[in-house]
Amino acid sequence: MSKPMPPVEQIAALPVRWDKTGKLRILMVTSRDRGRWVMPKGWQMDGKKPWRAAEIEALEEAGAIGFISDTPIGHYHYNKRMDDGTNTHCRVTLYPMVVEKLKRRWKEREQRKRHWFSPKKAAKLVEEPELSELLRDVADNRKTITIIEDMRKSA
C-alpha cells in the first residue's frame, strides 16, 4: 500500500483593515473557477520569502497594497482542483496583512470580485473548516491581534 503524499505547500495573505467605527474587516476575493470566497493565495515563489509571495498574491488577486507580517497566524488545508482534473492536497500558511490602499486596476480584476467582510461573516463564507475557524478566531485571538496591531503601529 502506498503512503499518502504530503500536502503541497501554499501561502496566503489575510488582508485586514479597520473600518471607520474601529471594527476589523477582512478582504476576500472570489476564486476563478466557481466564484467561491477565498483568501488571496498561491504557490511559493522561487527566491521569495513566503510572506513576500503572499503579499504579491494579495496585490495580483485583490489589488491590495499594505504591510505584511513575516509571522504566520496559522495553517489550513484544502483540495485544489488542478487543470488536468486531479485534486492536490494543499497546506496553506496564512500571513496577516494590513491593507493601506486598494488599487482600482489590478492584474486579476477581470477574473475576480473583492469585498470586505467582518471576521464572522468571512468565516461563514469559506468552505475550508480550518480557515473558517482561523477567521472566526481572528478578532478574538490575542496573538493574532497583537501581530496585526504591531504591524499597524510600525506602518
Side-chain angles (χ1 to χ4, degrees):
M1 198 161 127
S2 64
K3 269 175 47 176
M5 294 290 290
V8 179
E9 295 291 329
Q10 284 195 312
I11 45 76
L14 175 68
V16 299
R17 71 169 169 87
W18 285 263
D19 66 15
K20 290 180 177 81
T21 66
K23 290 194 171 81
L24 188 66
R25 297 285 178 230
I26 295 173
L27 183 66
M28 297 176 67
V29 296
T30 53
S31 65
R32 288 189 289 201
D33 57 357
R34 299 188 346 237
R36 297 170 296 116
W37 288 105
V38 297
M39 306 314 313
K41 68 178 173 299
W43 305 107
Q44 272 286 25
M45 299 174 190
D46 287 343
K48 300 264 187 249
K49 298 285 188 194
W51 59 91
R52 289 286 171 233
E55 183 178 38
I56 291 166
E57 292 296 340
L59 176 61
E60 291 180 354
E61 295 184 7
I65 298 172
F67 300 90
I68 196 150
S69 174
D70 60 2
T71 305
I73 60 163
H75 307 275
Y76 66 96
H77 296 81
Y78 80 108
N79 288 319
K80 179 173 182 59
R81 176 152 311 174
M82 305 305 281
D83 291 340
D84 65 4
T86 62
N87 280 331
T88 299
H89 190 62
C90 297
R91 177 181 185 258
V92 183
T93 303
L94 192 59
Y95 294 91
M97 175 182 182
V98 174
V99 176
E100 289 278 287
K101 78 180 218 191
L102 292 177
K103 293 182 77 158
R104 288 175 54 186
R105 297 173 56 81
W106 71 98
K107 187 174 180 181
E108 296 183 15
R109 70 187 176 283
E110 303 290 329
Q111 299 149 17
R112 300 177 187 274
K113 292 181 195 151
R114 65 182 178 194
H115 191 77
W116 291 104
F117 296 102
S118 70
K120 194 173 176 180
K121 178 74 173 173
K124 287 180 182 169
L125 290 170
V126 297
E127 291 181 356
E128 303 83 4
E130 293 166 313
L131 177 56
S132 180
E133 191 173 324
L134 281 167
L135 293 172
R136 251 193 329 273
D137 291 349
V138 80
D140 301 325
N141 185 324
R142 202 60 243 155
K143 179 183 163 219
T144 300
I145 290 298
T146 300
I147 291 168
I148 294 169
E149 294 275 341
D150 287 349
M151 290 168 52
R152 184 163 78 161
K153 285 178 199 153
S154 65

